[in-house]
Amino acid sequence: MLGSIELPDCVYSKDPIFITPISPTPNHSLYLSNLDDQKFLRFSIKYLYLFTKSINLDRLKSSLSRVLVDYYPLAGRLRTCPENNQKLQVDCNGEGAIFAEAFLDLTADELLVVSNKPDKSWRKLLYKVEATSFLDIPPLVVQVTNLGCGGMILCTAINHCLCDGIGTAQFLHAWAHFTKDPTGSLPITPFHSRHVLRSRDPPQITSIHSAFTKIPLDIQNSQFGLNLHQYLQSQPNTPASITFSQSQILHLKRQCSPSVKSTSFEVLASHTWRCWVKSLDLPSSIKVKLLFSVNIRKAVKPELPEGYYGNGFVLGCAEAPVKHVVNGNLQDTVKLVQNAKSELTSGSIKSVVDLLEDKTVKTDLSASLVISQWSRLSLEKVDFGEGKPIQMGPLTSDIYCLFLPSVGEFDAVRVLVSMPESVVKKFEYYMTELWDVKDINGDIIKGHLQFENPKMISA
């Protein structure tokens, strides 16, 4: 059994190969919308799947080659537009995805024990492409790592500029579909064009969008000498992972008035934000933000077509001074999140698209917690023919917060975020402080003590 989460090196018996589409695909430049090519999204979404039984590698390669016919932009390469080097497009040239094979002398059970808190060593499970810039990395990189027990790890890196979470899930399910049924047809046909989210000419910015800023990040909150984002990135970070069962989420909801109906996401996001702010012991008067992704596929008019796998989300933004977040009740924070969601009308969404035509506009990360919800994407149900995974999640933990599915626990949500080592226990304590808490009706919500009193923990 592993004594720590530090993983040994993978053994590569052969060099990685390129998997190209099995038949000819369109050769053209694919326009990316302003939501696609934000600097905030210029990275790859890295998924990790742990299976107890390995899938035949030849079958995986063959099905990947087949699915890349339908998702041919993932076999292309990112480029800057000739007329604007701040704008990205996809050169759909069929060069292919990278596919690497490796071996790791560990068992699936050993990895499962420590997989809730992946550290930087887990990056060894995905082949590192040597590239001079982000644009030189293929949009799709895959590594299959066979384990000593006969199990398998599948890691994928999918460029966020091409797909959002819904889009990546759609692609992974399509790949799994062809692995199980090579002659079948896809249940959802991918919609490639991004022109449905083209900005207007001239831009019509009709709303205030507090998730964005044009002020350089290094002078945000300069009156306090604070750039929280830079501070968090500079610290030794460790992941916090807390799983909330369906009943525990219901307990959180009961702390709100019956007149305040909240979704599971709204109440858990509000609770997480409050605990995050509280644990960091920030100056009481500075403003902090909660940024969270909101699916706009049905919200924008006209609606995005079925099968749209590009970035079909915008960031909702709840904002308040630290003292209001920390000293207010959960219900007040839920209302902030709900108000942020209600502001994302079709008109304001189009205004965001127009705002991002200005490439000096940036997502304001200076004093923000960013939450991305993976728990409603059916990512944990991807089945390549040998059963569903026993674990799925990100390859590594990040300072961005992820809401993940908990495999085998219906409607449970795993909250994963990295924080400075000095405050992570305090954060976990606040997150699990559920005992003898009265809800709005005066009923007692029983919990259990998992961590020492935060007053005894050094900030």
Side-chain angles (χ1 to χ4, degrees):
M1 190 65 68
L2 288 177
S4 71
I5 58 177
E6 178 74 24
L7 295 187
D9 292 339
C10 293
V11 177
Y12 295 90
S13 60
K14 59 182 72 173
D15 292 333
I17 62 173
F18 285 103
I19 301 292
T20 57
I22 197 170
S23 59
T25 55
N27 190 332
H28 65 95
S29 294
L30 176 69
Y31 167 83
L32 294 179
S33 78
N34 286 345
L35 297 184
D36 288 321
D37 73 351
Q38 300 176 70
K39 288 184 171 60
F40 173 62
L41 299 183
R42 295 187 181 186
F43 64 93
S44 294
I45 308 174
K46 298 177 177 65
Y47 295 118
L48 180 148
Y49 283 92
L50 178 61
F51 296 93
T52 57
K53 189 174 181 181
S54 61
I55 299 116
N56 180 274
L57 285 175
D58 288 336
R59 214 166 77 219
L60 275 176
K61 294 174 189 176
S62 176
S63 59
L64 181 57
S65 182
R66 170 62 187 86
V67 79
L68 286 176
V69 174
D70 296 272
Y71 287 86
Y72 65 89
L74 287 173
R77 296 294 182 267
L78 276 176
R79 302 284 187 261
T80 56
C81 295
E83 64 277 9
N84 182 357
N85 63 10
Q86 295 296 309
K87 183 77 182 165
L88 300 182
Q89 62 185 19
V90 183
D91 180 9
C92 299
N93 54 23
E95 289 187 11
I98 288 183
F99 191 100
E101 303 172 32
F103 176 79
L104 190 64
D105 192 17
L106 292 172
T107 68
D109 287 341
E110 286 175 323
L111 289 166
L112 183 61
V113 170
V114 294
S115 60
N116 274 355
K117 293 187 175 184
D119 77 343
K120 292 181 179 180
S121 71
W122 288 64
R123 293 175 182 171
K124 299 173 183 178
L125 297 171
L126 183 66
Y127 179 76
K128 184 178 180 181
V129 180
E130 297 297 335
T132 56
S133 76
F134 166 74
L135 298 181
D136 296 323
I137 301 173
L140 176 60
V141 179
V142 175
Q143 178 170 318
V144 175
T145 305
N146 286 310
L147 303 173
C149 64
M152 186 188 86
I153 299 169
L154 172 67
C155 285
T156 61
I158 305 175
N159 193 294
H160 208 327
C161 293
L162 274 71
C163 309
D164 62 6
I166 292 174
T168 57
Q170 182 179 305
F171 166 74
L172 289 168
H173 277 284
W175 181 15
H177 173 83
F178 280 131
T179 308
K180 292 184 293 185
D181 183 9
T183 61
S185 57
L186 290 180
I188 300 176
T189 302
F191 187 87
H192 302 294
S193 175
R194 314 299 168 89
H195 286 85
V196 289
L197 287 175
R198 183 184 283 278
S199 60
R200 294 167 290 192
D201 187 15
Q204 301 171 41
I205 302 168
T206 57
S207 305
I208 296 174
H209 303 292
S210 52
F212 303 98
T213 181
K214 289 187 69 169
I215 303 173
L217 293 180
D218 59 356
I219 61 171
Q220 291 285 320
N221 289 310
S222 59
Q223 66 269 41
F224 302 102
L226 172 70
N227 183 315
L228 184 58
H229 181 71
Q230 289 182 354
Y231 165 75
L232 292 176
Q233 287 190 317
S234 69
Q235 297 299 300
N237 286 302
T238 188
S241 177
I242 307 103
T243 298
F244 285 81
S245 67
Q246 188 179 25
S247 62
Q248 287 170 325
I249 294 173
L250 179 60
H251 287 165
L252 287 176
K253 290 183 179 182
R254 291 181 64 196
Q255 293 183 54
C256 299
S257 162
S259 63
V260 179
K261 303 296 182 183
S262 62
T263 66
S264 295
F265 173 80
E266 290 166 354
V267 72
L268 188 54
S270 300
H271 178 62
T272 302
W273 186 33
R274 295 179 77 222
C275 295
W276 183 81
V277 172
K278 194 174 181 180
S279 65
L280 290 172
D281 195 25
L282 302 172
S284 63
S285 57
I286 73 164
K287 283 189 175 182
V288 287
K289 296 180 180 181
L290 172 66
L291 305 181
F292 55 95
S293 53
V294 179
N295 179 14
I296 64 166
R297 283 165 170 77
K298 301 295 184 183
V300 69
K301 304 301 178 187
E303 294 181 0
L304 299 185
E306 183 182 15
Y308 189 90
Y309 66 96
N311 288 281
F313 78 94
V314 297
L315 290 174
C317 178
E319 182 179 15
V322 165
K323 59 186 175 185
H324 292 171
V325 177
V326 170
N327 299 327
N329 57 42
L330 180 61
Q331 177 175 299
D332 293 335
T333 314
V334 167
K335 288 180 179 178
L336 290 175
V337 173
Q338 291 177 334
N339 289 339
K341 288 174 66 176
S342 68
E343 291 172 356
L344 295 176
T345 62
S346 180
S348 68
I349 292 166
K350 291 178 179 178
S351 180
V352 168
V353 174
D354 289 354
L355 176 72
L356 292 172
E357 191 70 14
D358 181 351
K359 297 306 178 185
T360 65
V361 170
K362 300 178 181 179
T363 304
D364 184 7
L365 302 176
S366 61
S368 304
L369 174 66
V370 182
I371 295 179
S372 180
Q373 182 170 213
W374 292 14
S375 58
R376 297 290 183 180
L377 304 179
S378 296
L379 286 163
E380 76 281 11
K381 297 177 182 178
V382 171
D383 184 351
F384 288 88
E386 298 293 352
K388 295 176 183 176
I390 59 172
Q391 179 64 297
M392 81 76 46
L395 180 62
T396 59
S397 181
D398 205 337
I399 58 172
Y400 301 141
C401 180
L402 297 176
F403 283 5
L404 302 166
S406 182
V407 176
E409 297 183 71
F410 178 73
D411 274 356
V413 178
R414 180 162 67 98
V415 179
L416 178 67
V417 62
S418 280
M419 304 182 69
E421 294 174 357
S422 58
V423 298
V424 69
K425 286 188 176 181
K426 191 189 297 186
F427 172 74
E428 290 175 327
Y429 173 85
Y430 290 135
M431 287 287 282
T432 58
E433 190 182 17
L434 300 175
W435 63 99
D436 292 350
V437 176
K438 290 185 178 181
D439 65 16
I440 200 74
N441 299 315
D443 297 328
I444 298 295
I445 298 171
K446 291 291 183 181
H448 56 279
L449 180 63
Q450 291 186 333
F451 302 95
E452 66 259 47
N453 191 307
K455 294 178 181 178
M456 303 299 293
I457 302 172
S458 171

